[in-house]
């Protein structure tokens, strides 16, 4: 049994909040879409339990995460420390990255493993959008938790549908992040574009919340873990509503990109929002480079991630639903043969 101290990560998170860096807001893609643990300033101790694996592993692993202070970076740090015990004689280096850059790094062999968003994986496999060429040497080890598409407005707003955003000022998050890209696709599927809006504010979730509170914008959108603490605070102090997506919009998003999966934000997720909200989610995934991570090593990493699920949930409640069955059910793209062997061995995959 091992005690991993994450005090440094918590201090860095506190510093990021104090200096007002919205780019490292834990609810943003750059931070991996964190949860209600946003802003935690206390030391977190994580219990992990592994035995040294009798396999030939790389002497050095490189782990693509996201910006310091966010959940992806903190989770990668905890996992990498555990990997160092799983593979004695090996070391793991966590590198700042992001959903797209991690996939590019994995494809190029710069990273051995890394996090990305599920809706970005099909684009990489097909060579679309940010990917000039298909990336065919990357596969999934585990699917961890959902980043859910939210549209939030003030409770007294006259906005009730996506179409009602016409003539309104909206913050879609940081330009080029997954939430903004999803919002543009959703507008297009509803015969709209940014030209139909009065204005766009490219800012982080915390700053957007303040603008919504002050009446300077009409709506916030983003791919966020549910619940996200910024919205919880708005729900209790300002009063907000969530705008649902039409069934056909959800179906069209999934048809165009299998990484967008139907999702319901259940009533009560935010205390004063009692009704269910129909939307989509893209799931955070742990990926591996097939050329650098062989079947035996992938098997051991997948086993480590699944069998220490309670340790990761102790870092953030966003991981509370994660287990082997969850990972298999929400898998997007190709599964690594080593991961597949592990899931079959424990009965999570037929």
């Amino acid at each position: 049994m091992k005690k991993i101290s994450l005090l440094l990560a918590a201090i860095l998170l506190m510093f990021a909040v104090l200096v007002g860096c919205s780019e490292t807001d834990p609810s943003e893609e750059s931070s991996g879409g964190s949860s209600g643990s946003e802003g935690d300033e206390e030391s977190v101790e994580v219990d992990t339990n592994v035995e040294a694996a009798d396999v030939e592993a790389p002497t050095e692993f490189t782990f693509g995460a996201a910006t310091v202070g966010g959940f992806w970076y903190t989770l990668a740090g905890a996992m990498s420390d555990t990997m160092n015990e799983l593979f004695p004689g090996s070391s793991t280096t966590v590198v700042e990255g992001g959903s797209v850059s991690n996939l590019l790094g994995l494809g190029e062999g710069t990273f051995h493993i890394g996090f990305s968003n599920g809706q970005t994986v099909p684009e990489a496999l097909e060579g679309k959008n940010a990917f000039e060429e298909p990336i065919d040497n990357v596969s999934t080890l585990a699917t961890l938790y959902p980043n859910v598409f939210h549209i939030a407005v003030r409770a007294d707003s006259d906005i009730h549908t996506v179409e009602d955003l016409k003539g309104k000022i909206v913050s879609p998050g940081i330009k080029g992040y997954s939430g903004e890209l999803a919002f543009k696709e959703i507008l297009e599927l509803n015969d709209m574009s940014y030209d139909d809006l009065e204005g766009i504010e490219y800012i982080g979730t915390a700053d957007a919340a303040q603008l919504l509170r002050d009446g300077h914008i009409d709506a916030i959108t983003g791919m966020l873990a549910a619940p996200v603490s910024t919205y919880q605070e708005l729900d209790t102090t300002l009063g907000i509503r969530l705008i649902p997506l039409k069934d056909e919009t959800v179906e069209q998003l999934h048809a165009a990109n299998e990484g967008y999966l139907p999702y319901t934000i259940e009533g009560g997720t935010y205390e004063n929002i009692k009704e269910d909200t129909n939307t989509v989610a893209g799931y955070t995934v742990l990926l591996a480079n097939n050329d650098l991570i062989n079947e035996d090593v992938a098997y051991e990493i997948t086993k480590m991630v699944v069998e220490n699920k309670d340790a990761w949930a102790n870092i953030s409640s966003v991981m509370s639903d994660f287990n082997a069955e969850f990972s298999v059910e929400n898998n997007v793209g190709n599964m690594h043969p080593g991961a597949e062997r592990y899931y079959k061995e424990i009965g999570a995959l037929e």
Side-chain angles (χ1 to χ4, degrees):
M1 189 70 68
K2 179 185 176 187
K3 296 285 188 181
I4 305 173
S5 175
L6 297 178
L7 178 59
L8 177 58
I11 291 172
L12 288 169
L13 173 57
M14 180 176 67
F15 177 75
V17 172
L18 289 173
V19 298
C21 295
S22 62
E23 292 81 3
T24 58
D25 185 326
S27 61
E28 296 298 330
E29 176 191 345
S30 66
S31 302
S34 186
S35 68
S37 62
E38 179 181 353
D40 288 348
E41 298 178 4
E42 297 180 0
S43 174
V44 179
E45 288 190 345
V46 181
D47 292 337
T48 58
N49 191 359
V50 297
E51 295 181 2
D54 186 19
V55 298
E56 185 175 346
T59 56
E60 295 183 3
F61 290 90
T62 305
F63 197 143
T67 52
V68 174
F71 182 53
W72 277 8
Y73 195 91
T74 301
L75 182 61
M79 288 183 173
S80 66
D81 284 347
T82 310
M83 284 173 58
N84 292 341
E85 293 208 346
L86 179 64
F87 304 114
S90 296
S91 62
T92 305
T93 301
V94 177
V95 180
E96 294 185 60
S99 186
V100 171
S101 60
N102 287 347
L103 270 163
L104 292 171
L106 285 163
E108 295 167 355
T110 304
F111 299 152
H112 292 74
I113 59 176
F115 293 132
S116 190
N117 287 320
Q119 72 273 19
T120 311
V121 174
E123 296 176 352
L125 295 175
E126 298 172 23
K128 292 182 177 180
N129 296 332
F131 304 94
E132 296 181 359
E133 297 179 356
I135 296 176
D136 57 8
N137 61 340
V138 173
S139 56
T140 303
L141 300 178
T143 301
L144 303 177
Y145 65 89
N147 291 307
V148 183
F149 186 78
H150 291 63
I151 305 176
V153 301
R154 291 184 297 276
D156 59 359
S157 170
D158 60 356
I159 300 169
H160 295 274
T161 67
V162 171
E163 290 88 346
D164 290 340
L165 293 172
K166 290 180 180 179
K168 306 297 186 181
I169 303 174
V170 181
S171 171
I174 304 298
K175 185 176 178 61
Y177 278 11
S178 58
E180 196 243 347
L181 299 177
F183 181 52
K184 292 174 74 172
E185 292 181 63
I186 288 165
L187 287 178
E188 184 176 346
L189 291 173
N190 286 272
D191 299 318
M192 295 170 62
S193 71
Y194 281 179
D195 291 339
D196 294 297
L197 308 178
E198 182 179 336
I200 289 289
E201 290 286 347
Y202 293 115
I203 50 177
T205 305
D207 291 334
Q210 190 58 48
L211 291 183
L212 186 73
R213 183 186 303 282
D214 295 341
H216 297 307
I217 63 174
D218 301 294
I220 312 172
T221 76
M223 297 288 287
L224 309 165
V228 62
S229 62
T230 300
Y231 282 31
Q232 288 177 309
E233 193 274 336
L234 284 175
D235 176 50
T236 58
T237 61
L238 175 67
I240 58 172
R241 286 186 288 103
L242 298 179
I243 305 303
L245 302 183
K246 294 183 292 189
D247 288 340
E248 62 184 289
T249 299
V250 172
E251 292 166 2
Q252 290 172 319
L253 281 169
H254 179 69
N257 183 331
E258 64 171 326
Y260 287 117
L261 297 175
Y263 192 91
T264 300
I265 303 175
E266 295 182 355
T269 300
Y270 299 97
E271 184 177 358
N272 296 307
I273 301 176
K274 305 304 182 184
E275 64 277 7
D276 292 349
T277 303
N278 192 44
T279 186
V280 293
Y283 286 66
T284 287
V285 293
L286 177 62
L287 303 165
N289 175 289
N290 299 338
D291 302 319
L292 300 177
I293 302 295
N294 64 32
E295 181 177 332
D296 289 338
V297 173
Y299 171 94
E300 296 293 345
I301 295 175
T302 305
K303 179 180 180 181
M304 177 207 78
V305 170
V306 172
E307 296 187 0
N308 286 282
K309 60 185 180 63
D310 292 340
W312 321 135
N314 189 49
I315 302 173
S316 171
S317 61
V318 76
M319 290 286 292
S320 60
D321 291 333
F322 170 71
N323 57 32
E325 291 74 21
F326 178 96
S327 183
V328 170
E329 179 181 350
N330 295 295
N331 181 70
V332 174
N334 305 317
M335 186 178 289
H336 196 290
E340 187 175 283
R341 173 156 63 94
Y342 173 74
Y343 291 127
K344 286 182 176 179
E345 181 181 286
I346 63 172
L349 179 66
E350 295 182 1

